[in-house]
Amino acid sequence: MKKFEGLPREIIALRVSREIKDNSYVNLGIGIPTLVSNWLEGRDIILQSEIGMLKTGPIAEGEFIDQDLINASCQAVTEVPGSVYFDICESFGMIRGGHVDITVMGAFQVNAAGDFASWYNPSRGLEGVGNVGGSMDLAVGAKILLIAMEHVTNDGKPKIVRELTYPATAKKKVSKIFTDLAVIDVVPEGLVLKEIYPGLTPEDIQSITEPVLIIAPDIKEIEI
Amino acid sequence: MKKFEGLPREIIALRVSREIKDNSYVNLGIGIPTLVSNWLEGRDIILQSEIGMLKTGPIAEGEFIDQDLINASCQAVTEVPGSVYFDICESFGMIRGGHVDITVMGAFQVNAAGDFASWYNPSRGLEGVGNVGGSMDLAVGAKILLIAMEHVTNDGKPKIVRELTYPATAKKKVSKIFTDLAVIDVVPEGLVLKEIYPGLTPEDIQSITEPVLIIAPDIKEIEI
Amino acid sequence: MNKIVTNLEEAVAGIEDGATIAIGGFFAAGVPRTLLKAIIEKGVTDLTLACGSGPMLGAVNELEEMVKNRQIKKVIDSYGLFRSATKGSKHAFEQQIRAGEIELEIYPMGTLAEKYRAGGAGIPAFFTPTGSGSIIENTTLTNIDSNRKKKETREIDGQTCVLEYALKPDFAFIHAHTSDYEGNLRYRKTARSFNPVMAMAARITIVEAENIVPAGELDPDAIHTPGIFVQRVIKVPRTSFNITNL
Amino acid sequence: MNKIVTNLEEAVAGIEDGATIAIGGFFAAGVPRTLLKAIIEKGVTDLTLACGSGPMLGAVNELEEMVKNRQIKKVIDSYGLFRSATKGSKHAFEQQIRAGEIELEIYPMGTLAEKYRAGGAGIPAFFTPTGSGSIIENTTLTNIDSNRKKKETREIDGQTCVLEYALKPDFAFIHAHTSDYEGNLRYRKTARSFNPVMAMAARITIVEAENIVPAGELDPDAIHTPGIFVQRVIKVPRTSFNITNL
């Protein structure tokens, strides 16, 4: 398979940030999703962290590190005016109860039905006894679930697949996929290719994507 | 049936207060149980009120009345050092979760199995659609459930009965019954008459009690 | 994220005939009286008032107004009737219930609290031991016979448990002591009760707050309802009332 | 009602081989490290550590000590393994898991939080949609094959839900910022996480608090864990640690 150069991770995150409307409560997963926060400064968007915090501020450094203030990835973060702390049950009440407007997660694999796999890499062994963390709660409770990931694996294999070969996080939940090469809507009819990396053709994207893509009539270059 | 003079309600409450050990968390129901609080001053006992308060202080009067501070019977009460407020879910978590050490409730009827009826008087009609309030939660979660009531109804009928004719609040939950005339233990073998009002005989108590009473070998006068 | 609205019409906008509205508070404490007045003014009907422990007995003037206007189709509560049977039987509210013109559906208080929490927290159903051995384990308790449904029970660890389902009102009316601009709420003393759990359960949560402050004014470690559960906030005066109406 | 104990032996008295101990905190924040040291000192074995989100990865020195002493029979967690597979595979903890010498039982984080809450609040079981469509809906996730049990599922409102049961540990180790003499607790910032729900769930809740104050010093409207859930409190120094061990 051909290997294409695409957006760096930070720019995938920028594209995702454009998808988030002001006045939204947003949960950002580990990986590329975490980088989205860099593009939200000045926006009227409140980040929820499953450890038990609303309005998580930027990463803390140096003397501003407080050992009682971390995010769900165990990074030191900061407080801003309007931040709120709460316990884990309240936090997952928000998440599972559908109170978070937009959830952004990474994935190993996504299929055309909107199923995705994100929590367990079979190469680790242990028969699926892995770090589920909050991923399944976030997925099941998501009103809008955006996936941000590389389009293919490190060795060039499609991550947008016909059938998941990694264990699923949840089924029929993904709304939209943002990769380094494309933006794809997940709709009842399948996957709609909406935006592509400048210089690539729909055929290029199809060549590294297992399910047959529906080409949007208004397909355009990824807007940065 | 013969009508006996017995303890006034305040003194039933005093006798109940003797049953409560220091270092206990206690919930007091409406009626005679509420009067128990008058006898707990200076004791190391913390009252839980299902509205969402621990360490409920005495009834408030005059200028000390605060419209944001009532107990579960809608009486103005006071705060003391160490009082805590919480929401209704936490409150019933305590109650149903078995965290309250002693629960004192009134009753219309109790039987020898420890079943009791307290929440609905059939004379009100409405086919049992009545004020359950927190009674069933308090009963089911009680570690030790004490019943404080008159021994007979206003018209002299037994309230300690063979079969409940009022709808049950809960079954097999009552530990001990305190009346104006007697103190009775509820044990697997039945009802054990432990204490009687001065001047009365076990036969007197039996004459106004439907189930056959077991007479405690160490039966004595009610200790005030 | 400013959630403050400046007039009562805006606060209760979008509430239509047939809506289910959760009413915060416990008897006289923490009841959203101003929002109740707004809904009386608005005049919508066929309402289901999802209560917890008799807030309408505390807000008895508003109850009487709504009963007179025939705005109420149904009340869900644990303690919906006046304590005194004599007082109750003379009252228009109980008379409409006895006539089957208002449905009254009763749950144990802790079960009702848990139903709202389940609704807010995305738990579709739960088993509770409360009510085992009582009529509650057999049927929904309502004065409208045709709405009595059989309950499912199951023995868990030797205890009979009743299966109960989540309750998700369309709206919640909440009384708070203080809100910031972003809808983070503090309640005062026992006026808290059902307010936080109803704020969590409803699709649209409308708050009347005695005080409004900028974001950052409240201690972030001492907020009772995080703003994510709140859609609209209106400032109301602190008004005094009689706490014993039961 | 004074719940303060003055030495660590007294704090962990009565914990025997085979006990299940809930460990508060989330990765590095809010972990009861001093109580963990006390249990290492005590030397009891066959312990089940009921965690929420990797507190032992945060308290990695204590984890290593317990693994070396072979005190751990089982860990319940949502995120029990080091994030890095490479780091994990070299670590004695994961090696004991791979050898079947330590059982690791995994739940989604929200389900685990809810299991503790159910244990504390007297809810024997609940249905949750979390994990539907995943392996979780079929089986308990554990490395000890013979302990994999089939899960019960049910369709509620068009959603497949998994039946989960309450979790009630024998003991809970809790890290609080401040306790009063009667065990009313305040936590600080994100060090709260699993601490309140575990305090509620355990039969005996043991708290290490950085500060101890007389009853009445804490704002009664701003207490996170009411003292009714707490049996013992010990004062510990605030010690600094590295927050990134994953």
Side-chain angles (χ1 to χ4, degrees):
Chain A
M1 253 175 224
K2 228 166 118 187
K3 179 96 182 157
F4 300 101
E5 280 300 313
L7 303 175
R9 292 157 58 89
E10 286 74 13
I11 306 302
I12 305 175
L14 168 60
R15 177 62 192 85
V16 172
S17 74
R18 296 267 166 78
E19 201 69 17
I20 302 173
K21 292 198 180 71
D22 271 356
N23 294 308
S24 299
Y25 289 93
V26 178
N27 184 295
L28 301 175
I30 295 175
I32 299 172
T34 302
L35 302 174
V36 174
S37 66
N38 298 338
W39 303 102
L40 298 179
E41 225 165 296
R43 300 279 310 277
D44 201 359
I45 287 166
I46 292 184
L47 298 180
Q48 199 266 9
S49 177
E50 58 265 43
I51 192 172
M53 184 176 190
L54 270 182
K55 222 171 172 180
T56 307
I59 297 295
E61 278 168 16
E63 59 178 320
F64 296 103
I65 291 175
D66 178 336
Q67 67 189 24
D68 290 336
L69 180 44
I70 63 173
N71 65 16
S73 304
C74 203
Q75 298 169 298
V77 291
T78 50
E79 187 178 296
V80 294
S83 290
V84 189
Y85 303 104
F86 35 84
D87 70 41
I88 204 75
C89 282
E90 184 115 358
S91 182
F92 279 88
M94 290 173 194
I95 289 168
R96 196 182 38 232
H99 302 277
V100 175
D101 297 308
I102 296 183
T103 303
V104 189
M105 297 176 79
F108 294 127
Q109 295 182 323
V110 188
N111 72 16
D115 310 344
F116 76 110
S118 68
W119 68 277
Y120 178 73
N121 187 333
S123 74
R124 193 157 185 176
L126 273 165
E127 297 177 63
V129 182
N131 288 331
V132 173
S135 62
M136 292 184 188
D137 303 284
L138 283 160
V140 82
K143 284 197 277 197
I144 297 176
L145 177 61
L146 309 180
I147 296 291
M149 65 177 193
E150 312 284 347
H151 205 98
V152 297
T153 64
N154 283 340
D155 49 355
K157 298 220 176 68
K159 298 180 68 173
I160 303 173
V161 294
R162 224 162 273 123
E163 305 280 349
L164 302 184
T165 56
Y166 284 44
T169 305
K171 294 202 168 151
K172 296 184 188 170
K173 289 301 300 186
V174 177
S175 308
K176 213 158 179 166
I177 307 164
F178 298 82
T179 77
D180 49 334
L181 302 175
V183 177
I184 296 171
D185 276 1
V186 184
V187 299
E189 294 71 30
L191 301 176
V192 181
L193 182 60
K194 299 280 285 183
E195 300 176 26
I196 54 179
Y197 185 72
L200 296 189
T201 65
E203 293 69 33
D204 290 333
I205 304 297
Q206 183 65 75
S207 75
I208 50 170
T209 306
E210 281 185 7
V212 176
L213 296 168
I214 302 163
I215 312 303
D218 58 346
I219 187 167
K220 57 187 175 189
E221 289 189 350
I222 299 180
E223 284 173 11
I224 304 305
Chain B
M1 251 173 224
K2 230 169 120 186
K3 179 94 181 155
F4 301 100
E5 281 299 314
L7 303 176
R9 293 157 57 90
E10 286 73 12
I11 306 303
I12 305 175
L14 168 60
R15 177 61 192 86
V16 172
S17 75
R18 296 268 165 79
E19 202 68 17
I20 301 172
K21 291 197 180 70
D22 270 357
N23 294 309
S24 299
Y25 289 94
V26 178
N27 184 295
L28 301 175
I30 295 174
I32 298 172
T34 301
L35 302 173
V36 174
S37 66
N38 298 338
W39 303 102
L40 298 179
E41 223 164 300
R43 300 279 309 277
D44 201 1
I45 287 166
I46 292 184
L47 298 180
Q48 198 265 9
S49 177
E50 57 265 43
I51 193 172
M53 185 177 189
L54 271 182
K55 223 171 171 180
T56 307
I59 296 294
E61 279 168 16
E63 59 178 320
F64 296 102
I65 291 174
D66 179 336
Q67 66 190 25
D68 290 336
L69 180 44
I70 63 174
N71 64 17
S73 304
C74 204
Q75 298 168 300
V77 291
T78 49
E79 186 178 297
V80 294
S83 290
V84 189
Y85 304 105
F86 37 84
D87 71 41
I88 203 75
C89 283
E90 184 115 359
S91 182
F92 279 88
M94 290 173 194
I95 289 168
R96 195 181 40 232
H99 302 277
V100 175
D101 296 308
I102 296 183
T103 304
V104 189
M105 296 175 79
F108 295 127
Q109 295 182 324
V110 189
N111 72 16
D115 309 343
F116 76 111
S118 68
W119 67 278
Y120 178 72
N121 187 333
S123 74
R124 193 156 185 178
L126 272 167
E127 298 176 64
V129 182
N131 288 332
V132 174
S135 62
M136 292 184 188
D137 303 284
L138 283 161
V140 82
K143 282 197 278 198
I144 298 176
L145 178 60
L146 309 181
I147 296 291
M149 64 177 193
E150 313 285 347
H151 205 98
V152 298
T153 64
N154 283 340
D155 50 355
K157 297 219 176 69
K159 298 180 69 172
I160 303 174
V161 294
R162 223 161 274 122
E163 304 280 348
L164 302 185
T165 56
Y166 284 45
T169 305
K171 295 201 168 150
K172 296 184 187 167
K173 289 302 300 185
V174 178
S175 308
K176 213 158 180 167
I177 307 165
F178 298 82
T179 78
D180 49 335
L181 303 177
V183 176
I184 295 171
D185 276 2
V186 185
V187 299
E189 295 72 29
L191 301 175
V192 182
L193 182 60
K194 298 281 286 182
E195 299 177 26
I196 54 179
Y197 185 73
L200 297 189
T201 64
E203 293 69 31
D204 291 333
I205 302 298
Q206 183 64 75
S207 76
I208 51 171
T209 306
E210 282 186 5
V212 175
L213 295 168
I214 302 162
I215 312 302
D218 58 346
I219 187 167
K220 56 187 176 187
E221 289 189 351
I222 299 180
E223 284 173 12
I224 304 306
Chain C
M1 215 179 276
N2 191 338
K3 297 184 180 169
I4 312 301
V5 299
T6 50
N7 67 72
L8 278 166
E9 275 162 51
E10 205 183 332
V12 298
I15 302 182
E16 295 182 353
D17 293 353
T20 296
I21 310 175
I23 311 295
F26 190 118
F27 295 149
V31 184
R33 285 179 174 75
T34 308
L35 290 171
L36 285 169
K37 289 192 181 79
I39 206 80
I40 292 165
E41 181 71 23
K42 194 178 175 80
V44 287
T45 60
D46 277 323
L47 299 175
T48 294
L49 304 185
C51 304
S53 184
M56 302 305 292
L57 304 180
V60 72
N61 296 341
E62 292 78 8
L63 174 65
E64 284 165 5
E65 200 72 22
M66 292 183 87
V67 166
K68 198 182 71 189
N69 299 345
R70 298 196 168 263
Q71 292 182 271
I72 306 173
K73 185 181 77 180
K74 178 174 176 178
V75 173
I76 301 171
D77 208 330
S78 71
Y79 205 106
L81 300 170
F82 289 93
R83 185 171 296 159
S84 149
T86 320
K87 180 170 179 180
S89 66
K90 290 182 191 146
H91 200 279
F93 174 54
E94 192 167 315
Q95 284 164 357
Q96 287 192 14
I97 292 169
R98 287 177 184 276
E101 294 162 5
I102 293 178
E103 178 173 5
L104 177 62
E105 188 175 289
I106 292 288
Y107 293 90
M109 200 184 296
T111 298
L112 198 41
E114 205 63 14
K115 282 169 74 77
Y116 290 115
R117 183 186 178 275
I123 297 295
F126 59 90
F127 283 102
T128 175
T130 297
S132 66
S134 85
I135 181 176
I136 299 279
E137 90 176 39
N138 304 319
T139 175
T140 329
L141 212 49
T142 162
N143 59 321
I144 306 296
D145 269 0
S146 54
N147 289 348
R148 293 202 175 201
K149 292 195 197 73
K150 203 174 151 39
K151 297 250 165 146
E152 177 178 341
T153 59
R154 179 186 296 205
E155 197 96 355
I156 304 177
D157 286 337
Q159 220 176 9
T160 303
C161 296
V162 185
L163 183 66
E164 289 286 353
Y165 293 88
L167 181 48
K168 293 175 76 140
D170 301 316
F171 298 89
F173 284 0
I174 300 301
H175 184 89
H177 181 259
T178 304
S179 173
D180 70 16
Y181 293 163
E182 299 186 341
N184 298 305
L185 308 181
R186 293 258 303 175
Y187 308 97
R188 189 169 169 273
K189 304 187 189 283
T190 56
R192 195 181 319 179
S193 69
F194 277 90
N195 281 300
V197 76
M198 287 174 169
M200 199 178 177
R203 192 168 51 80
I204 296 182
T205 292
I206 307 166
V207 177
E208 55 169 68
E210 295 178 16
N211 304 281
I212 292 183
V213 298
E217 288 281 298
L218 299 175
D219 173 2
D221 266 328
I223 284 162
H224 300 131
T225 292
I228 194 171
F229 297 130
V230 171
Q231 278 67 48
R232 305 172 198 161
V233 179
I234 186 158
K235 187 175 189 321
V236 297
R238 179 167 173 92
T239 48
S240 65
F241 52 81
N242 184 350
I243 64 172
T244 47
N245 280 315
L246 313 188
Chain D
M1 214 180 275
N2 191 339
K3 298 183 179 168
I4 312 300
V5 300
T6 48
N7 67 71
L8 278 167
E9 274 161 52
E10 205 183 334
V12 298
I15 302 182
E16 296 182 352
D17 291 352
T20 296
I21 310 174
I23 311 295
F26 189 118
F27 294 147
V31 183
R33 284 179 174 74
T34 307
L35 290 171
L36 286 170
K37 289 193 181 79
I39 205 81
I40 292 165
E41 180 72 21
K42 194 180 176 77
V44 287
T45 60
D46 276 323
L47 298 175
T48 294
L49 304 184
C51 305
S53 183
M56 302 305 292
L57 305 180
V60 72
N61 296 341
E62 292 77 9
L63 174 65
E64 285 165 5
E65 201 72 22
M66 293 184 86
V67 166
K68 197 181 72 191
N69 299 346
R70 298 195 170 263
Q71 294 182 273
I72 306 173
K73 185 180 77 180
K74 178 173 175 178
V75 172
I76 302 170
D77 207 329
S78 72
Y79 205 107
L81 299 171
F82 289 93
R83 185 173 297 156
S84 149
T86 320
K87 180 170 179 179
S89 65
K90 291 182 191 143
H91 200 280
F93 174 54
E94 192 167 315
Q95 285 164 357
Q96 287 192 14
I97 292 169
R98 287 177 184 274
E101 294 162 5
I102 293 178
E103 179 173 6
L104 177 62
E105 189 176 288
I106 293 287
Y107 293 92
M109 200 185 295
T111 297
L112 198 41
E114 205 64 16
K115 282 169 74 77
Y116 291 115
R117 183 184 179 275
I123 297 295
F126 58 91
F127 283 102
T128 175
T130 297
S132 67
S134 84
I135 182 175
I136 298 278
E137 88 177 40
N138 304 320
T139 176
T140 329
L141 211 48
T142 161
N143 60 320
I144 306 295
D145 268 0
S146 54
N147 289 348
R148 293 203 174 200
K149 291 195 199 74
K150 205 174 149 38
K151 299 248 165 149
E152 177 177 340
T153 59
R154 180 187 294 207
E155 196 95 354
I156 304 178
D157 287 338
Q159 220 176 7
T160 303
C161 296
V162 184
L163 182 66
E164 289 287 353
Y165 293 88
L167 181 49
K168 295 174 75 141
D170 302 316
F171 298 88
F173 284 0
I174 301 301
H175 184 89
H177 182 258
T178 306
S179 173
D180 71 15
Y181 293 162
E182 298 186 342
N184 298 305
L185 308 182
R186 293 258 302 175
Y187 308 96
R188 188 166 170 274
K189 304 188 189 282
T190 56
R192 195 182 319 179
S193 70
F194 276 90
N195 281 299
V197 76
M198 288 175 169
M200 197 178 179
R203 192 167 53 79
I204 297 182
T205 292
I206 308 166
V207 177
E208 54 170 67
E210 295 178 17
N211 304 281
I212 292 183
V213 298
E217 288 281 298
L218 298 175
D219 173 0
D221 266 328
I223 284 162
H224 299 133
T225 292
I228 194 171
F229 297 128
V230 171
Q231 278 66 46
R232 305 172 199 160
V233 179
I234 185 157
K235 188 175 190 319
V236 297
R238 179 169 174 90
T239 47
S240 65
F241 52 82
N242 184 351
I243 62 172
T244 46
N245 281 315
L246 313 188

